[in-house]
Amino acid sequence: MRALLCEHCRERQATVHITQVINDKRIELNLCPICYQKEAGKFNLLVQPDFNFHSILAGLLQSAAPEAVPAPVTGVCRNCGLTFSDFTKAGQLGCSECYEQFVEPLEPVLRRIHGNALHVGKVPRRTGVRVRTRKEIENLRARLQEAIRREAYEEAARLRDEIRRREKELTEGGGQP
Amino acid sequence: MTPQERIEALLCHWAKVHGEQGDVVLSSRVRLARNLRGIPFPARGQDAQLEAVVAAVEKAVARVSSFKLTKLEALSPLDRLVLVEKHLVSPQFIENPTHRAVILRADEAVSIMVNEEDHLRIQVILPGLALQEAWRVADEIDDLCEAHLDYAFDERRGYLTACPTNVGTGMRASVMLHLPGLILVDQARKVLAALGHLGFNVRGLYGEGSEAHGGIFQLSNQVTLGKTEEETINTMLSACRQVIDHERAARQALLRDARLQLEDRIWRSYGILASCRLLSSEEALRLLSDLKLGLDLGLISGLPPQLMKELLLLTRVGFLQKIVGKELGPSERDYYRAALVGERLRGE
Ligand SMILES: [Zn+2]
Ligand SMILES: [Zn+2]
């Protein structure tokens, strides 16, 4: 097995290997222990005595992406327990999360009813701002992953701070984040 | 309270006022379906969740003094039925009163069903053709609620609803049309089919099947995704105006070509309404339709133009029992119905 260079400094051998699957994409991070210490500091990763990198990065990505947990393929809404066959039987969804959960199978259903259309009507004043903020956070998360892939750790750190800031806006905006 | 005062107090806004284009349009309604994010829709919600929804909505509208929340369980079955007859709540809503509440504005032009199919159904009903005004009011109340409630909303899908047929604007706009002229000249079917092709839902009201008893039809929008509320309402308004023109043309054709027969029909119906001793709800509906046509064409005068709407409501089973103040069997209903209509027409 050939020696792997640290993705950050390109000098020392990478001995810290972090792998995480996010949204079906595999992200690998190979760092030397020094860079790991340095980067980990930026990412608030330091205090993990057993060097369980997997859980460290999972922790990082979760703080930045609480919804990045891969969707269960069992076809059950994790919020209300509705299955897609429940829906096809009753013709009604169980909760607002069902729309995310069953986004693909719902596509042809909605097309049949409404044609190939997207919402162009009213956007709720308060919730609308929150929806936009959440959307922006999603975009930032994608950019964060991209930055990590490109080994642009300073950019990643900046993005992570931005995500935190936007998330704080959501929680301080009242109601559920 | 005198019987007349009791009747006045029972009637709701849309039935008391004739309204714009009131000769053809009985009422306009805009209904918005809204849900709270993350909380299971009423059919799947647990007791505590549904109670929490009622409490949250009550709090959200608490600042509006003209709004009053009533839990459905606190109402008698008769009072629930009267709400349905006034079109303030849906028939499905009173089937199971548990965890359900209704918020009514004092004039009953606005109602909010809590925990029907969706967490909120905001509804505005106005007399005559007033879709834009109904939308404006519904929009305002929606904003008021949304200031305190976290709505389930998605940028692509819009307002998320229990049934995917409502997703998007969550808006169902409808008008109640009285089309006796088109029925008499045998053109109703054609006009209604054309509306169906234009993407509207058409329903015969107060009757079985498509041949609506009393010539009353409900026209509503089918699609809620991919069109703004204003677009939907404007499309409906222009369709309504065309139907109104057709209906008025049919009435003029009848006056021109068959005036005597038309007058005979209307005065016969008036005569029966004014002097019969037993009146079934089906017969009442048919005769009241003729009465309205007579009033709108100026063949009958001296009676208020909204009289048909008023009597349409008052002669329904729930109303009748409410007015008489006791439970009525089927034959008793026919007796009291005839008495009530007769008194009103004879001006007693
Ligand atoms: Zn390094
Ligand atoms: Zn669900």
Side-chain angles (χ1 to χ4, degrees):
Chain A
M1 190 183 144
R2 73 186 171 90
L4 204 59
L5 276 184
C6 167
E7 292 174 5
H8 192 69
C9 63
R10 303 252 169 226
E11 284 169 18
R12 293 171 287 267
Q13 195 186 341
T15 53
V16 179
H17 310 285
I18 303 167
T19 307
Q20 179 70 21
V21 179
I22 305 138
N23 292 339
D24 298 319
K25 278 182 203 138
R26 218 174 147 84
I27 293 174
E28 290 192 9
L29 208 52
N30 303 292
L31 301 174
C32 69
I34 294 162
C35 286
Y36 168 68
Q37 291 275 346
K38 222 157 58 189
E39 291 309 300
K42 277 188 189 161
F43 286 78
N44 287 334
L45 286 178
L46 265 178
V47 275
Q48 281 286 338
D50 58 352
F51 278 80
N52 183 343
F53 305 121
H54 187 92
S55 70
I56 293 166
L57 192 58
L60 162 74
L61 288 163
Q62 237 153 48
S63 79
E67 280 146 28
V69 184
V73 287
T74 51
V76 176
C77 175
R78 66 192 159 207
N79 186 48
C80 75
L82 187 98
T83 66
F84 198 70
S85 80
D86 288 339
F87 164 67
T88 48
K89 266 180 235 146
Q92 291 203 353
L93 292 156
C95 73
S96 53
E97 305 301 309
C98 288
Y99 278 92
E100 251 171 74
Q101 198 68 48
F102 304 119
V103 68
E104 277 174 29
L106 273 176
E107 203 71 35
V109 175
L110 290 169
R111 206 176 315 124
R112 217 166 37 241
I113 303 168
H114 301 284
N116 220 344
L118 294 176
H119 180 63
V120 291
K122 181 175 180 179
V123 172
R125 276 162 203 244
R126 203 174 48 88
T127 316
V129 171
R130 298 165 67 79
V131 166
R132 268 193 293 280
T133 306
R134 259 196 298 276
K135 206 115 189 166
E136 281 164 18
I137 291 173
E138 266 170 45
N139 287 338
L140 287 168
R141 276 177 197 143
R143 282 171 59 196
L144 172 65
Q145 285 172 27
E146 185 55 33
I148 292 171
R149 202 166 12 246
R150 281 187 289 112
E151 300 153 33
Y153 298 109
E154 280 183 25
E155 188 188 338
R158 196 180 50 73
L159 285 168
R160 187 217 48 200
D161 289 346
E162 178 68 10
I163 290 169
R164 292 240 167 98
R165 197 179 61 75
R166 304 308 309 264
E167 280 183 334
K168 215 170 157 202
E169 274 176 25
L170 271 186
T171 37
E172 283 167 359
Q176 300 284 305
Chain B
M1 254 200 266
T2 67
Q4 195 48 46
E5 282 170 344
R6 193 152 62 192
I7 287 169
E8 272 297 306
L10 272 172
L11 286 170
C12 49
H13 183 54
W14 69 264
K16 281 185 195 169
V17 178
H18 188 55
E20 289 278 312
Q21 326 287 341
D23 59 331
V24 182
V25 186
L26 302 184
S27 64
S28 301
R29 187 188 74 165
V30 165
R31 193 211 66 201
L32 302 175
R34 300 289 188 254
N35 286 284
L36 307 191
R37 195 158 61 84
I39 300 170
F41 299 141
R44 274 190 94 73
Q46 284 160 7
D47 294 359
Q49 291 171 315
L50 298 178
E51 281 306 317
V53 171
V54 174
V57 177
E58 183 167 26
K59 209 173 140 202
V61 299
R63 286 178 308 146
V64 188
S65 58
S66 58
F67 282 173
K68 188 172 172 286
L69 180 138
T70 309
K71 294 200 172 174
L72 214 50
E73 282 176 319
L75 291 175
S76 69
L78 180 60
D79 284 336
R80 291 175 206 159
L81 180 61
V82 168
L83 287 178
V84 174
E85 291 177 349
K86 289 179 184 177
H87 300 159
L88 296 178
V89 305
S90 64
Q92 303 83 270
F93 189 62
I94 63 164
E95 270 168 24
N96 175 14
T98 323
H99 306 307
R100 288 180 165 173
V102 60
I103 295 165
L104 295 175
R105 199 168 77 178
D107 64 355
E108 298 190 335
V110 175
S111 62
I112 306 174
M113 286 182 268
V114 186
N115 288 332
E116 203 239 29
E117 183 180 294
D118 295 295
H119 292 140
L120 283 93
R121 286 277 175 98
I122 300 166
Q123 195 184 264
V124 178
I125 308 189
L126 298 175
L129 188 61
L131 281 175
Q132 266 160 341
E133 172 68 0
W135 157 242
R136 197 189 59 71
V137 175
D139 186 27
E140 226 168 68
I141 294 162
D142 182 42
D143 285 345
L144 187 100
C145 293
E146 201 261 338
H148 302 274
L149 301 170
D150 268 342
Y151 277 174
F153 178 83
D154 174 87
E155 273 197 343
R156 292 175 68 241
R157 296 293 177 219
Y159 294 92
L160 304 177
T161 51
C163 187
T165 52
N166 295 321
V167 86
T169 59
M171 183 182 81
R172 200 66 63 189
S174 61
V175 284
M176 247 210 284
L177 302 165
H178 184 227
L179 308 175
L182 286 171
I183 290 177
L184 286 172
V185 302
D186 203 20
Q187 293 291 307
R189 225 180 293 258
K190 222 168 80 186
V191 171
L192 297 175
L195 289 171
H197 284 301
L198 288 172
F200 296 106
N201 276 318
V202 186
R203 237 162 33 95
L205 270 200
Y206 300 111
E208 300 298 312
S210 57
E211 204 50 67
H213 250 75
I216 300 172
F217 299 88
Q218 189 192 49
L219 182 71
S220 60
N221 64 303
Q222 208 153 30
V223 167
T224 52
L225 203 58
K227 271 187 173 186
T228 66
E229 292 83 353
E230 286 82 3
E231 279 172 329
T232 301
I233 279 167
N234 286 334
T235 315
M236 282 197 70
L237 278 175
S238 69
C240 280
R241 292 206 176 95
Q242 288 188 43
V243 177
I244 292 168
D245 287 346
H246 283 297
E247 170 62 23
R248 285 183 185 153
R251 292 178 189 184
Q252 289 310 313
L254 285 165
L255 277 181
R256 191 185 60 227
D257 301 336
R259 184 175 184 117
L260 201 58
Q261 289 90 331
L262 188 67
E263 284 184 349
D264 179 65
R265 179 188 169 113
I266 286 166
W267 282 108
R268 271 172 194 277
S269 295
Y270 178 88
I272 296 171
L273 285 171
S275 50
C276 69
R277 301 301 304 275
L278 291 172
L279 185 61
S280 73
S281 58
E282 289 77 26
E283 192 181 13
L285 192 54
R286 191 165 50 75
L287 300 175
L288 285 171
S289 170
D290 288 342
L291 175 72
K292 178 166 169 59
L293 183 60
L295 286 168
D296 291 332
L297 289 175
L299 298 175
I300 299 173
S301 55
L303 290 168
Q306 79 285 359
L307 184 66
M308 180 256 206
K309 289 199 286 193
E310 194 186 304
L311 289 176
L312 200 65
L313 266 189
L314 296 178
T315 53
R316 302 204 67 192
V317 175
F319 261 97
L320 214 50
Q321 299 185 74
K322 198 79 190 154
I323 293 162
V324 178
K326 63 173 185 180
E327 213 174 294
L328 301 172
S331 57
E332 281 178 304
R333 290 172 201 166
D334 290 356
Y335 167 76
Y336 282 107
R337 186 178 290 117
L340 189 125
V341 173
E343 279 166 26
R344 189 75 180 84
L345 287 192
R346 296 189 304 267
E348 286 166 17

